[in-house]
Amino acid sequence: MYSSAQQKELFDRSKAYLSHASSVQALPYTEQNDQLRQLIAYHEWRYYILNDPILSDEEYDLLYKQLEALEAAHPELVTPDSPTQRVSSDLPESDFPSVAHLTPMLSLANSYNAEDLLEFDQQVKRMLNMSETEDIVYAVEPKFDGGSIALVYEADQLVRGATRGNGEMGEEMTANARVIRSIPLRAAFSEVGMYRVELRGEVLIRKDKFLKINEERAEEGLSLFANPRNTATGGLRMKDPKEVAVRGLEAFIYTFGYAVDAAGNNQLDTLATHTESLDLLANLGFKVPLASKERKRCGNIQEVVAFCLQWEKGREAYAYEVDGMVVKVDNRRLQERAGSTSHHPRWAIAYKFAAKQATTELLEVVYQIGKIGSVTPVAKVAPVQLAGVMISSISLHNEDFIRDKDLRLGDQVLIERAGDVIPYIVKSLPDLRTGREQPIVFPTHCPSCGTPLERGEGEAAWRCPNYQCPAQVLQRIIFHVSKSAMDIDGMGPQIVERFVELGWVKTLPDIYRLDYDKIAELEGFGPKSAENLRQAIEKAKHNPIHRLLHSLSIHHLGKKVSQLLAAELDHVLELRHWTPETFTHIKDIGPTVAENVTAYFARPENIAMLEELEALGVNLRATEADRPVAAVTEGPLVGKTILFTGTLSRMSRKEAQEKAIAAGAKNISAVSGNLDILVVGEKAGSKLKKAQALGTVKIYTEDEFLALVDGQ
Ligand code: IVH
């Protein structure tokens, strides 16, 4: 993609822009604009395609802001392939018109074991009139489990993105494709004589990103995504590209569908092999399966089988969901000779991994009430092993899920672990019904307090509207003390439940007037653990107010928004005087949160509760930690940049970073010429090597770092 000489030049030029060097300031602004566009595209490639940034996030942002400023001053310079135009407010909201693919997007035939693969190899040889003993070279790569897309480039510009649809016609979703950072807006196809190109690929989300999104959604009381595939395909079809952007989707490209020059002549024949096409695409800046690890050119079918089995074994450790491997005849002339059926190419086959699925009986449905009253149905199933874990409970998400899947009590159900983690019901197996199955009747009243349930328009969940519902109160108390809220160590959900059952805790203020002598006498406690709990609760009283705000379980008031809100306040009770309009000046706080917060502070019982908390010593006044961090101007590390790598043994990564900030340093995220100090824990890897290679980075052990900042 970029030669090392080019990369050096791009890096040096980036530094010149970052330091506002006179050499770049003197350039005509049109040239600065071209250069900044190029530089940002280069750093996006390093970040999103190589996963190996050479600028810190802050430096990247600075370059981006310089381009934005230039474009703001000279709007005529804005081009559609500018990195600032990934989400363009001028683009109409896409309503997904139907478009015809330039060539049909075929499917793949399936194989399930080594024998199937050997049989496929024989078939291909018969078709090509080859002898049984000759070998065919195959290209083997992961079969990504996401949503397929087709991208059209014309004159080097991305002009269209579409979903697979029925293979002939797809849904156009260019605006959404543009916000996926691993899809280049511009790629130099013209340099290889290609004018109009269609690429095929798969849109995915990392498994860890999927879990994180679900964690955040759970915290905000939103319905959860069933698996990474749905998160990716659903993301692709969202109406607002800005929403798509925050999902962090990625696109792997796995083949060319079509390529012609300006005169319309086929250019695919210039590529001798599939391997060559992927290498070319990698060179042009696309994310393709990595040659070193994710794909392999195999000299014969035995090598193919070995590579497939090796991947099947290691699939859990891979960052993305993969449901098999794709085996392709590498040579394109041979591919053409083998041809295709109307359904699939004869020169390729999917090797499907053994499904991590099991069948079990759906015994019962219980209903859990969340902290804001949403009712989640949970299936209790006959315990069954699935990929090494015993499963007995599975979320059914909401009423529509039960209806859409036609689930009944007593049904045999097919289950799998979504994202290799969360158990999920794929479907019921109606053929196995005995006639004794019973319908699942969703409750009309709250199972905890008996209040009629409500369901807002367009909402998936039924809710119990009774704010005093005992189940909700319990969940709110559990959440209040949890790690992400007030962080009271030693007060897990079971202990809260016990205190609630004993009648000791009925409201949040009750937590702060517990009788520790009585706790010390409880079974499982003692003077020591009661004292530890007392200390943890005392400590929580001094929390910054963003934690308290978050701990109140106000719908949509997540961690981040609580911090933004706290930064605007001196005292929590000021919010009594706020109206939804008061929020409008805070960037990133939307009208829904504004309304929810205003409604919460309009209720006298909530105000009384907060006053009670304050009287018990809980802090309601903004602290230093509620203010956006101001730079520390004194300390042993003032002006230094620092990065931690490897496993630290004496503190968490977060504590280490906080210590570094307190000592005046700035944490950065990548090893670059800008890094001053690298602190290495155990099992430090590539970052250490890179820092050593640079030769300019000071390398400290964890102990050396602590001695420096704490003097210990
Ligand atoms: S090649 C003509 N390669 O699998 C070749 N497909 O049934 C057809 N898929 O939905 C596809 N990873 O989106 C190919 N490395 C890969 C793939 C892949 C995932 C999907 C594809 C389609 C399905 C084919």
Side-chain angles (χ1 to χ4, degrees):
M1 170 86 193
Y2 296 94
S3 70
S4 47
Q6 276 170 329
Q7 295 210 39
K8 171 135 192 12
E9 194 184 320
L10 288 164
F11 180 70
D12 291 344
R13 199 175 306 142
S14 306
K15 288 285 164 184
Y17 275 92
L18 288 169
S19 61
H20 303 281
S22 48
S23 58
V24 298
Q25 306 261 359
L27 293 174
Y29 64 81
T30 49
E31 204 159 315
Q32 289 186 29
N33 181 66
D34 284 347
Q35 290 191 349
L36 280 166
R37 250 191 352 240
Q38 242 181 35
L39 293 175
I40 293 167
Y42 166 66
H43 292 296
E44 288 187 344
W45 174 76
R46 297 247 13 158
Y47 190 95
Y48 293 104
I49 306 290
L50 297 192
N51 275 329
D52 187 19
I54 47 169
L55 289 190
S56 67
D57 294 358
E58 288 93 333
E59 288 173 321
Y60 169 84
D61 287 346
L62 275 177
L63 283 184
Y64 194 95
K65 284 194 186 125
Q66 288 187 22
L67 178 60
E68 268 182 338
L70 207 58
E71 289 180 343
H74 307 281
E76 74 282 3
L77 295 181
V78 180
T79 59
D81 66 358
S82 165
T84 60
Q85 300 302 299
R86 282 198 179 267
V87 185
S88 160
S89 46
D90 300 339
L91 286 173
E93 255 196 13
S94 88
D95 53 358
F96 310 125
S98 241
V99 287
H101 297 303
L102 300 187
T103 50
M105 285 179 86
L106 297 183
S107 227
L108 287 169
N110 288 330
S111 68
Y112 300 94
N113 49 44
E115 261 170 39
D116 292 350
L117 284 174
L118 297 178
E119 172 54 30
F120 163 72
D121 180 56
Q122 290 302 324
Q123 250 179 37
V124 175
K125 286 176 189 163
R126 279 198 294 276
M127 225 140 36
L128 297 174
N129 294 323
M130 288 168 65
S131 92
E132 276 187 21
T133 50
E134 264 178 283
D135 283 330
I136 296 181
V137 176
Y138 291 104
V140 186
E141 65 207 29
K143 184 168 184 307
F144 301 106
D145 198 8
S148 357
I149 43 153
L151 302 172
V152 179
Y153 285 80
E154 250 170 38
D156 292 346
Q157 304 264 358
L158 171 68
V159 293
R160 193 174 90 185
T163 62
R164 177 173 185 276
N166 62 10
E168 301 273 343
M169 307 285 291
E171 287 179 305
E172 196 255 18
M173 40 104 234
T174 314
N176 287 350
R178 290 174 62 88
V179 300
I180 299 176
R181 302 286 186 123
S182 43
I183 297 181
L185 298 177
R186 175 186 185 83
F189 288 107
S190 56
E191 283 180 15
V192 289
M194 295 180 180
Y195 173 77
R196 189 152 199 245
V197 176
E198 190 174 52
L199 304 178
R200 272 83 199 266
E202 199 84 357
V203 169
L204 301 173
I205 182 164
R206 290 175 63 97
K207 290 190 286 202
D208 54 1
K209 176 91 189 168
F210 155 74
L211 290 174
K212 194 151 168 264
I213 291 184
N214 260 356
E215 239 171 60
E216 286 167 7
R217 291 181 69 92
E219 207 165 89
E220 292 182 16
L222 300 172
S223 63
L224 301 188
F225 294 122
N227 53 39
R229 186 187 343 111
N230 289 2
T231 319
T233 52
L236 213 46
R237 304 187 71 262
M238 280 194 300
K239 289 267 183 279
D240 182 358
K242 287 192 212 71
E243 294 266 320
V244 184
V246 297
R247 284 217 189 167
L249 303 183
E250 300 178 40
F252 270 99
I253 303 300
Y254 54 72
T255 195
F256 273 95
Y258 178 92
V260 294
D261 65 13
N265 302 312
N266 184 358
Q267 290 299 299
L268 286 181
D269 296 339
T270 60
L271 298 160
T273 61
H274 174 67
T275 302
E276 213 173 283
S277 17
L278 291 192
D279 290 343
L280 170 66
L281 288 170
N283 265 323
L284 291 172
F286 291 87
K287 191 177 184 84
V288 302
L290 273 182
S292 56
K293 145 173 159 231
E294 290 160 345
R295 60 183 156 113
K296 185 169 178 186
R297 226 175 143 245
C298 296
N300 56 44
I301 196 71
Q302 285 74 22
E303 266 185 54
V304 170
V305 170
F307 190 59
C308 288
L309 294 179
Q310 178 197 328
W311 256 85
E312 181 156 16
K313 246 197 198 151
R315 63 188 287 206
E316 304 246 341
Y318 189 55
Y320 307 88
E321 265 208 313
V322 163
D323 59 344
M325 303 299 284
V326 185
V327 180
K328 300 172 180 175
V329 171
D330 197 34
N331 186 302
R332 289 205 59 259
R333 288 187 61 88
L334 293 186
Q335 287 181 2
E336 266 164 34
R337 273 176 49 201
S340 302
T341 72
S342 61
H343 171 264
H344 61 262
R346 292 198 189 86
W347 45 265
I349 196 162
Y351 167 79
K352 301 277 272 195
F353 293 153
K356 283 184 301 180
Q357 292 185 329
T359 49
T360 184
E361 188 182 342
L362 199 171
L363 301 172
E364 186 195 359
V365 177
V366 298
Y367 297 89
Q368 287 177 352
I369 319 285
K371 61 185 170 34
I372 49 160
S374 6
V375 182
T376 307
V378 178
K380 296 287 170 189
V381 298
V384 60
Q385 279 274 348
L386 189 54
V389 177
M390 188 61 88
I391 309 284
S392 56
S393 272
I394 305 177
S395 172
L396 298 176
H397 305 289
N398 52 51
E399 188 185 18
D400 294 347
F401 184 91
I402 298 173
R403 203 192 30 241
D404 294 349
K405 304 238 166 198
D406 184 25
L407 301 177
R408 303 187 194 170
L409 296 176
D411 259 352
Q412 288 294 321
V413 288
L414 183 68
I415 67 175
E416 67 179 33
R417 276 173 71 202
D420 295 324
V421 207
I422 303 175
Y424 169 75
I425 295 194
V426 183
K427 57 180 180 182
S428 64
L429 303 169
D431 292 348
L432 301 180
R433 282 186 181 149
T434 61
R436 288 193 296 275
E437 294 74 18
Q438 295 294 320
I440 298 168
V441 185
F442 207 88
T444 52
H445 291 69
C446 174
S448 171
C449 68
T451 308
L453 298 179
E454 290 176 359
R455 183 171 169 172
E457 219 185 286
E459 280 190 13
W462 284 96
R463 252 178 238 292
C464 165
N466 173 15
Y467 192 69
Q468 300 307 335
C469 164
Q472 276 185 59
V473 172
L474 173 66
Q475 292 305 321
R476 284 202 298 270
I477 299 172
I478 291 176
F479 180 69
H480 176 87
V481 302
S482 70
K483 196 154 189 56
S484 77
M486 293 300 268
D487 191 18
I488 299 183
D489 218 17
M491 201 165 170
Q494 270 138 23
I495 296 186
V496 174
E497 264 174 60
R498 224 161 132 198
F499 291 173
V500 169
E501 271 166 26
L502 288 164
W504 295 353
V505 176
K506 296 195 184 73
T507 64
L508 298 185
D510 289 343
I511 299 166
Y512 301 91
R513 49 177 163 239
L514 280 166
D515 182 337
Y516 299 102
D517 293 336
K518 273 167 53 191
I519 292 177
E521 279 160 24
L522 276 186
E523 206 189 313
F525 274 88
K528 181 85 180 75
S529 41
E531 172 57 18
N532 287 346
L533 184 60
R534 191 190 66 77
Q535 283 181 14
I537 290 176
E538 279 308 307
K539 185 168 156 228
K541 288 184 180 171
H542 305 290
N543 272 339
I545 58 169
H546 68 77
R547 281 191 173 270
L548 179 65
L549 287 169
H550 184 40
S551 80
L552 299 175
S553 297
I554 299 173
H555 199 12
H556 290 125
L557 186 62
K559 207 171 193 159
K560 181 93 196 290
V561 179
S562 303
Q563 284 169 346
L564 295 174
L565 187 55
E568 304 289 321
L569 299 171
D570 286 322
H571 193 279
V572 171
L573 289 174
E574 280 163 30
L575 287 169
R576 263 183 301 187
H577 311 298
W578 284 41
T579 64
E581 289 69 45
T582 328
F583 290 78
T584 44
H585 76 280
I586 314 178
K587 198 171 156 259
D588 295 330
I589 295 196
T592 320
V593 186
E595 300 232 337
N596 295 349
V597 174
T598 324
Y600 183 93
F601 282 87
R603 298 178 79 116
E605 65 271 28
N606 291 337
I607 302 300
M609 192 274 292
L610 285 162
E611 283 170 347
E612 210 179 334
L613 284 179
E614 191 167 39
L616 287 162
V618 177
N619 172 51
L620 263 65
R621 244 174 226 296
T623 65
E624 270 310 303
D626 290 306
R627 300 290 169 236
V629 267
V632 176
T633 52
E634 266 177 55
L637 299 180
V638 166
K640 301 278 187 234
T641 56
I642 194 163
L643 175 65
F644 296 86
T645 185
T647 317
L648 303 177
S649 58
R650 295 181 56 189
M651 60 200 151
S652 69
R653 176 76 59 103
K654 192 157 166 281
E655 280 165 345
Q657 288 170 339
E658 281 167 3
K659 278 181 190 294
I661 292 171
K666 193 168 123 198
N667 291 289
I668 62 176
S669 55
V671 178
S672 70
N674 254 7
L675 181 66
D676 297 315
I677 300 168
L678 182 73
V679 181
V680 288
E682 266 171 57
K683 297 205 197 94
S686 61
K687 288 196 171 125
L688 174 59
K689 284 207 192 97
K690 214 158 143 192
Q692 284 167 333
L694 276 172
T696 52
V697 181
K698 277 213 181 78
I699 296 169
Y700 289 141
T701 63
E702 192 179 348
D703 289 344
E704 284 168 340
F705 166 74
L706 280 172
L708 201 69
V709 296
D710 287 348
Q712 37 175 270

